[in-house]
Structure formats: C-alpha cells, structure tokens
C-alpha cells in the first residue's frame, strides 16, 4: 500500500481511538494525534493516568483497527 494512502487513512481517524499493529509485533492502542508523511503519533494513557505519546513510522504499520464507540 502506498504510504500516502496510509497517511490519508489516519487523517480520517484523527482524534479517534485506534489499535495499530506493527510488522515488529508491537500493538498500540491510542488516540490519533499528529500525522505527517513519515509517522503518526498516538496518545496512550498509562496505568498511572498520565498520557504518553508514541510515534510510529508509517512504513512499519501492518494493520489499523478503529475502536468502536459504545
């Protein structure tokens, strides 16, 4: 998949919670924040209630699963 398509996919889900799986086996649950042509940032809540940011390179993404709002 072209990286431009991946970038556009994340733009549709900006501000929403997603699960991202990477080719290295990492799984990240968080809210989509900043999006560039190289990476996407996710805001992830830690166990202590703090918010951490994770930056994921677009070419390492295997799958994206938007979480359903209940």
């Amino acid at each position: 998949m072209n990286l431009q398509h991946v970038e556009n996919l994340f733009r549709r889900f900006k501000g929403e919670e997603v699960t991202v799986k990477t080719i290295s086996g990492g799984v990240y649950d968080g809210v989509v924040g900043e999006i560039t042509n190289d990476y996407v940032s996710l805001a992830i809540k830690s166990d202590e209630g703090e918010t951490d940011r994770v930056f994921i390179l677009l070419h390492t993404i295997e799958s994206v699963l938007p979480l359903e709002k209940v």
Side-chain angles (χ1 to χ4, degrees):
M1 183 185 292
N2 187 333
L3 292 182
Q4 181 66 46
H5 295 305
V6 176
E7 181 183 343
N8 290 338
L9 175 71
F10 277 109
R11 292 196 187 284
R12 290 182 182 203
F13 293 109
K14 187 168 185 169
E16 296 186 30
E17 193 168 0
V18 296
T19 298
V20 177
K21 183 177 178 187
T22 62
I23 56 176
S24 65
V27 177
Y28 304 94
D29 296 321
V31 177
V32 177
E34 184 180 357
I35 305 158
T36 70
N37 60 343
D38 294 323
Y39 66 85
V40 61
S41 71
L42 297 181
I44 298 176
K45 297 243 181 186
S46 66
D47 294 335
E48 296 82 33
E50 298 178 7
T51 302
D52 297 328
R53 293 183 74 188
V54 173
F55 295 88
I56 304 171
L57 297 175
L58 295 181
H59 69 273
T60 66
I61 295 173
E62 183 176 323
S63 65
V64 178
L65 177 66
L67 297 180
E68 201 173 311
K69 293 182 181 178
V70 184

